[in-house]
Amino acid sequence: MTKKTSLAKQNRSQNSGGVMPDPIKIITTLVKFCHQLKSSSTKYDNQEKLFIVFLYLWLTHQLDVIGAKRNGEVQIEIPDCIKVTAEAECKAHTFRNVKYGNRSWTEYAQFYHTKSDEKIYRWQPIPPSLHHIFNPFLSKMSYGTPWLTQKDKNNLFELINSKWSKPERIKGFPSAVKKSFFKYFTHCVLIDNYLRTIAKNVLLPVDKLHHESASDYQDLPSGQIRAQIFQAQERFLSRLVKQANTLGWGELLIFFRSIKNNNAPRSQRYKSKVHLLNVIDTNNIPDALKSQSIRHEYHHTSYDDAREISIKEEITVGSIRMIEEHVVADGFKRLEEEIITAKPTQSATLATHIDYYNLCTNHLALLFILLSGARPHHAISIEKRRSFNNQQVCIKDKGRLRLLFLGDYLKQQVEHYLVLQQALISRLPKAVHSELLWYLLDHNGNPTALSAQSVKIFMHARMPNNEPYMLRHRFCQCALTCITPVTLTNHQIDRLMGHSSYGEHLGSDHLFPASIRQTSAFLNTLPVRFNLKEIKYV
């Protein structure tokens, strides 16, 4: 395998829709950790605390950086995990139990990556597969006290970095190397085709994302982000639980809960078994956590004689260049009226016809950006030789070819425009030669290619304080929020937006008929969404 082929394969394996990590290898490695923790019971007094902190670090993508060294010194240490009250501020590594109706649920602080230097944390519900472990543990912990002493941290650090042995029962089963095991949730986040890019951007730092700029084109409210993370983490855990239950390894995935009598002999301190695998009763999951948006991020405030429960305001994460749908719809409506009003009669001068033609050309260019997601700084028109029945076209995008699909409405408008173009060319004194499907004409009849600046000026005059690139942002947001008649996956959105790494662009990926039908179904929803009307330019 050549270096380029290997790089292309690696890029595809990290993209949305790739193959999930082998659950047998991951669950085998987790059994090894449990075995190592229990076999060292004479050394590690706080099995429950060590195991729960380990699960938290694993779930939140921190295990692979714990103990990272630079210049011989440890840069990141095991953090202090602390229980706080329901009214306390959400800060790093804090946990709380909060009521959803009459059900108590554990939440932890999730950091939100933003372009500003502001550190934002929001409460994130623990996934159901871990709730039966975290909730009882948190209930008995004291407020404001770190769970682990420095001795406990040293023990956990040593445990994480020691060699884990297999119990006799699982010898012969393959296990994952520690590096892959630690990054299990990171790999799952990258590959999950239904966890939206904004949620991925919250979970992972920018340097770990597969397409770094993809999240700049979308936005989501924090309620939807919380719900997506909650559901995704449960998907990643449930596939491991299912595999462990299939293999009958329930008794291997246990740890011991400490009893309150610390004066008892060490051999008697561990009497209560805690099973990592637990049958989840969906009826015990609060209805608020089952929705597509966990909007109710409760905040408790205590007064002298009362306690008030309020709902913390949502934040929006993502694009800062988003143009509202109604602004786009109103702008194109005014442009349609301008075209109808400016349509010249047969007796109008040639200059008037050329001005009208240029107006229609700019209108088509804006439609092209809005309805295809093309980058206006790279391609504002289509080369004739790369247009295939005006339905599938190729454009030059960042130095390489990119395939675009045109919806039925845009194809129709292109055909109406070409009728206008031929009618005008027949009136010009000399032939017009251009490689582009649409272009501007000066008053001498010479063709001129559209430029990003000319289209920007044209749009500014009709939609003040907005620019063509914002239409590309709106296109992406429409793809993200489209529900009927089709919901697009992350891979399909990335494909529409032209977000690709080496090995994922034209000539290296494959488009199946079913995927093309879904893409076309989405594109055909856009004219209705923006209330675009058919315009016969002639």
Side-chain angles (χ1 to χ4, degrees):
M1 184 182 295
T2 65
K3 184 177 180 180
K4 288 185 177 180
T5 304
S6 177
L7 177 61
K9 182 179 179 181
Q10 182 181 8
N11 283 332
R12 289 193 294 271
S13 68
Q14 293 178 351
N15 197 6
S16 296
V19 180
M20 285 284 185
D22 187 345
I24 293 182
K25 290 184 177 180
I26 300 299
I27 203 65
T28 301
T29 309
L30 186 58
V31 169
K32 288 170 62 177
F33 174 80
C34 291
H35 177 69
Q36 190 70 20
L37 179 66
K38 288 179 291 185
S39 65
S40 306
S41 59
T42 56
K43 185 177 181 182
Y44 303 130
D45 295 335
N46 298 316
Q47 283 192 22
E48 182 182 20
K49 291 182 180 179
L50 296 182
F51 194 77
I52 286 179
V53 172
F54 176 85
L55 286 177
Y56 163 66
L57 296 176
W58 188 38
L59 180 70
T60 53
H61 319 272
Q62 298 180 69
L63 270 184
D64 56 330
V65 296
I66 293 295
K69 292 184 178 181
R70 184 178 297 172
N71 299 327
E73 296 183 1
V74 175
Q75 296 295 307
I76 301 178
E77 299 179 347
I78 295 173
D80 286 326
C81 297
I82 299 174
K83 175 187 176 181
V84 298
T85 60
E87 60 263 22
E89 184 181 355
C90 187
K91 294 182 178 180
H93 312 301
T94 55
F95 296 74
R96 70 175 187 175
N97 279 344
V98 67
K99 289 282 188 179
Y100 283 89
N102 61 348
R103 303 183 194 281
S104 174
W105 205 269
T106 301
E107 296 181 333
Y108 65 91
Q110 172 65 56
F111 176 65
Y112 278 58
H113 299 278
T114 61
K115 294 188 177 297
S116 64
D117 295 331
E118 183 183 5
K119 291 187 176 180
I120 298 177
Y121 290 89
R122 307 289 287 196
W123 290 114
Q124 179 62 43
I126 206 80
S129 290
L130 297 180
H131 179 256
H132 71 285
I133 297 175
F134 277 82
N135 194 261
F137 171 78
L138 209 64
S139 298
K140 69 178 184 179
M141 297 302 295
S142 302
Y143 292 108
T145 304
W147 298 350
L148 301 181
T149 63
Q150 188 57 51
K151 180 182 177 181
D152 293 331
K153 289 183 182 181
N154 293 337
N155 289 337
L156 181 56
F157 185 86
E158 180 183 338
L159 180 60
I160 290 173
N161 289 280
S162 64
K163 184 178 180 180
W164 302 343
S165 59
K166 287 182 180 180
E168 288 294 330
R169 183 174 171 183
I170 67 169
K171 284 189 175 179
F173 285 90
S175 60
V177 296
K178 276 188 182 179
K179 185 177 180 180
S180 297
F181 173 76
F182 290 164
K183 293 184 177 181
Y184 170 71
F185 287 96
T186 301
H187 291 158
C188 289
V189 166
L190 288 171
I191 292 168
D192 194 310
N193 215 2
Y194 296 95
L195 179 63
R196 292 310 189 187
T197 303
I198 294 294
K200 293 183 179 185
N201 191 55
V202 168
L203 291 171
L204 303 176
V206 175
D207 60 330
K208 289 188 178 181
L209 296 174
H210 187 55
H211 297 314
E212 295 180 5
S213 62
S215 60
D216 294 338
Y217 293 87
Q218 309 169 11
D219 65 36
L220 276 180
S222 56
Q224 292 186 34
I225 295 173
R226 297 174 74 215
Q228 289 194 16
I229 293 175
F230 179 76
Q231 294 162 7
Q233 288 178 338
E234 181 58 22
R235 288 198 298 272
F236 307 153
L237 286 166
S238 61
R239 63 192 302 268
L240 300 181
V241 171
K242 181 179 179 181
Q243 185 65 64
N245 284 329
T246 301
L247 296 171
W249 287 357
E251 286 300 317
L252 299 176
L253 291 166
I254 61 172
F255 60 92
F256 293 96
R257 178 165 286 160
S258 308
I259 62 175
K260 291 184 178 180
N261 184 9
N262 293 325
N263 295 322
R266 182 173 294 175
S267 59
Q268 298 178 14
R269 289 183 188 177
Y270 306 105
K271 291 185 177 180
S272 175
K273 283 185 179 181
V274 180
H275 290 260
L276 181 59
L277 305 185
N278 191 31
V279 178
I280 300 172
D281 184 1
T282 55
N283 293 325
N284 288 330
I285 301 176
D287 292 337
L289 299 183
K290 296 178 182 178
S291 64
Q292 296 302 309
S293 177
I294 306 176
R295 294 185 295 272
H296 303 302
E297 188 172 356
Y298 295 108
H299 180 74
H300 297 243
T301 305
S302 296
Y303 300 98
D304 292 337
D305 56 350
R307 195 180 196 191
E308 180 181 300
I309 301 177
S310 58
I311 298 176
K312 196 172 182 180
E313 185 179 352
E314 284 189 299
I315 61 173
T316 300
V317 182
S319 172
I320 58 176
R321 302 175 67 187
M322 192 68 65
I323 181 173
E324 298 296 334
E325 281 191 36
H326 70 88
V327 175
V328 177
D330 291 344
F332 274 93
K333 183 178 180 180
R334 290 193 299 271
L335 188 51
E336 291 167 2
E337 293 171 351
E338 182 181 354
I339 291 172
I340 293 173
T341 304
K343 184 178 290 187
T345 62
Q346 287 294 330
S347 59
T349 63
L350 181 60
T352 303
H353 278 278
I354 291 177
D355 289 340
Y356 173 73
Y357 166 83
N358 288 337
L359 173 65
C360 297
T361 301
N362 280 290
H363 173 249
L364 186 63
L366 292 179
L367 282 178
F368 178 61
I369 298 167
L370 176 65
L371 302 180
S372 71
R375 291 182 175 92
H377 293 164
H378 292 268
I380 313 176
S381 185
I382 304 168
E383 293 182 70
K384 294 176 182 177
R385 63 194 176 101
R386 294 196 170 113
S387 174
F388 310 104
N389 195 30
N390 298 330
Q391 193 82 56
Q392 297 183 22
V393 300
C394 283
I395 61 173
K396 287 184 178 179
D397 188 81
K398 289 192 172 183
R400 58 189 181 216
L401 289 178
R402 172 184 163 198
L403 180 63
L404 291 181
F405 297 95
L406 305 188
D408 295 338
Y409 173 83
L410 184 54
K411 177 186 176 183
Q412 176 182 260
Q413 288 304 126
V414 171
E415 292 171 350
H416 288 329
Y417 172 83
L418 293 178
V419 173
L420 170 67
Q421 188 182 79
Q422 290 302 317
L424 179 59
I425 289 175
S426 65
R427 295 188 57 181
L428 296 176
K430 57 182 180 181
V432 176
H433 300 286
S434 176
E435 296 179 350
L436 303 174
L437 270 182
W438 54 84
Y439 46 82
L440 300 174
L441 288 173
D442 62 22
H443 282 183
N444 294 321
N446 299 315
T448 305
L450 288 157
S451 67
Q453 185 63 22
S454 67
V455 177
K456 183 178 180 179
I457 293 172
F458 178 85
M459 183 173 174
H460 264 300
R462 289 150 181 86
M463 301 182 205
N465 302 320
N466 294 298
E467 57 182 80
Y469 217 97
M470 293 181 175
L471 299 178
R472 174 171 157 82
H473 284 246
R474 175 45 58 188
F475 172 83
C476 185
Q477 187 67 12
C478 288
L480 175 69
T481 56
C482 182
I483 299 176
T484 56
V486 63
T487 300
L488 299 179
T489 63
N490 288 336
H491 177 70
Q492 289 172 316
I493 295 175
D494 288 341
R495 193 68 181 76
L496 282 168
M497 294 298 295
H499 292 143
S500 61
S501 299
Y502 184 81
E504 298 170 355
H505 49 266
L506 183 64
S508 298
D509 62 353
H510 299 279
L511 295 173
F512 298 97
S515 180
I516 295 175
R517 285 194 296 270
Q518 289 181 322
T519 300
S520 299
F522 158 68
L523 293 174
N524 288 334
T525 65
L526 296 178
V528 178
R529 194 161 181 167
F530 296 112
N531 197 27
L532 300 176
K533 306 299 182 183
E534 178 185 359
I535 299 180
K536 295 183 178 180
Y537 298 115
V538 177

